[in-house]
């Protein structure tokens, strides 16, 4: 009873602490304008340009190899007309979430490793989505991959020993069990709780909640994209994969997403080529 009560108390405290992570005010201002059908692209751009960091980030993203446009995009209004309103709104979400966690009290090396994994997952997810022609925009999958592990950072900030356990335990399932013993929950659930509290699209709540859930990935192909991307990250840090024929989960998801070995290899090669440029954009240097 004592252990259960203790974990319940920790979970309650953790969820309460999650409330301190507020998205920047620019996000609310942008969403308000976006919701008004009378708002023009120029008016949307005017809101974004109130934040110099966000403006620079978005222009770097749309001019990056991730998009591969033949000509340079020099202003936000042009970016909106080329990329689309909802797609750019998704990129705004990604930047705002990254900013929330950019200076939290977590070991710098742990934070760097986390964002490296998240960015790799994001690039892979975007390219998998494009290759498998998912109905959601590839930009949405990029952000889904980028923010999938935010719950982990919340737990690490509140319980630094959890970060040590993450590095110590060899299996993600073992680590999730550790979180359940400590808190009665796990980092995907905490991340989804935060995404829901922020009012993020249900798509992003679901991919945050279920990115490690193979059964859910089989049922929901949007979740499958992020799950598959994360499996590829786990296979190799360098994104050089010789074969995945022996990985049953990978093969099952590839079949669901109608991806051949050749098309997935193209995704891996493209993602590897894009990673360096994207890393400097997301990290800000």
């Amino acid at each position: 009873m004592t252990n259960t009560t203790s974990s319940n108390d920790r979970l309650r405290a953790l969820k309460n602490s999650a409330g301190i992570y507020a998205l920047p005010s620019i996000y609310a201002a942008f969403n308000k304008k976006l919701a008004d059908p009378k708002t023009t692209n120029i008016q949307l751009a005017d809101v974004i340009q109130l934040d110099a960091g966000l403006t620079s980030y978005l222009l770097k993203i749309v001019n990056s190899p991730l998009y591969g446009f033949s000509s340079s995009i020099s202003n936000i209004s042009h970016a909106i007309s080329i990329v689309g309103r909802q797609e750019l709104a998704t990129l705004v979400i990604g930047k705002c979430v990254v900013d929330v966690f950019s200076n939290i009290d977590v070991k710098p090396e742990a934070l760097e490793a986390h964002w490296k994994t998240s960015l790799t997952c994001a690039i892979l997810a975007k390219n998998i989505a494009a290759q498998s022609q998912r109905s959601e925009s590839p930009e949405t999958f990029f952000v889904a991959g980028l923010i999938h592990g935010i719950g982990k950072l919340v737990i690490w900030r509140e319980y630094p020993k959890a970060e040590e356990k993450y590095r110590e335990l060899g299996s993600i399932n073992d680590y999730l069990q550790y979180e359940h013993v400590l808190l009665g929950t796990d980092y995907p659930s905490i991340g989804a709780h935060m995404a829901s509290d922020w009012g993020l699209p249900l798509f992003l709540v679901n991919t945050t909640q279920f990115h490690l859930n193979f059964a859910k990935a089989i049922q929901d192909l949007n979740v499958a994209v992020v799950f598959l991307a994360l499996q590829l990250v786990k296979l190799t840090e360098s994104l050089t994969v010789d074969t995945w024929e022996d990985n049953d989960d990978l093969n099952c998801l590839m079949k669901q997403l109608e991806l051949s070995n050749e098309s997935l290899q193209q995704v891996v090669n493209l993602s590897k080529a894009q990673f360096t440029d994207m890393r400097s954009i997301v990290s800000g240097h």
Side-chain angles (χ1 to χ4, degrees), residues 32 50 57 64 95 137 155 196 236 241:
K32 184 177 180 180
L50 293 172
Y57 172 86
S64 74
K95 172 60 173 172
S137 71
I155 293 174
S196 179
T236 171
V241 180

Side-chain angles (χ1 to χ4, degrees), residues 2-135:
T2 302
N3 287 340
T4 302
T5 303
S6 178
S7 68
N8 286 342
D9 289 342
R10 292 193 193 104
L11 175 57
R12 193 177 302 109
L14 187 65
K15 285 188 173 180
N16 289 339
S17 74
I20 70 174
Y21 301 97
L23 292 179
S25 58
I26 193 74
Y27 175 71
F30 178 80
N31 266 2
K32 184 177 180 180
K33 283 289 186 184
L34 187 65
D36 184 351
K38 296 179 182 177
T39 300
T40 66
N41 286 353
I42 292 176
Q43 289 171 323
L44 276 178
D46 286 343
V47 174
I48 290 175
Q49 286 163 177
L50 293 172
D51 187 315
L54 178 59
T55 300
S56 175
Y57 172 86
L58 293 175
L59 288 177
K60 286 178 181 177
I61 284 276
V62 298
N63 282 297
S64 74
L66 201 65
Y67 283 89
F69 293 132
S70 57
S71 58
S72 177
I73 298 172
S74 59
N75 60 69
I76 295 297
S77 179
H78 187 199
I80 295 171
S81 66
I82 295 293
V83 177
R85 289 188 174 201
Q86 291 301 329
E87 288 75 9
L88 203 78
T90 302
L91 294 176
V92 169
I93 290 173
K95 172 60 173 172
C96 288
V97 171
V98 170
D99 283 351
V100 166
F101 292 99
S102 60
N103 294 310
I104 65 170
D105 188 17
V106 173
K107 290 180 180 178
E109 60 271 23
L111 203 57
E112 181 179 356
H114 169 82
W115 287 122
K116 180 182 178 183
T117 295
S118 297
L119 178 60
T120 306
C121 180
I123 296 170
L124 282 163
K126 180 184 186 297
N127 290 329
I128 290 169
Q131 187 72 247
S132 63
Q133 299 181 343
R134 300 302 308 138
S135 58

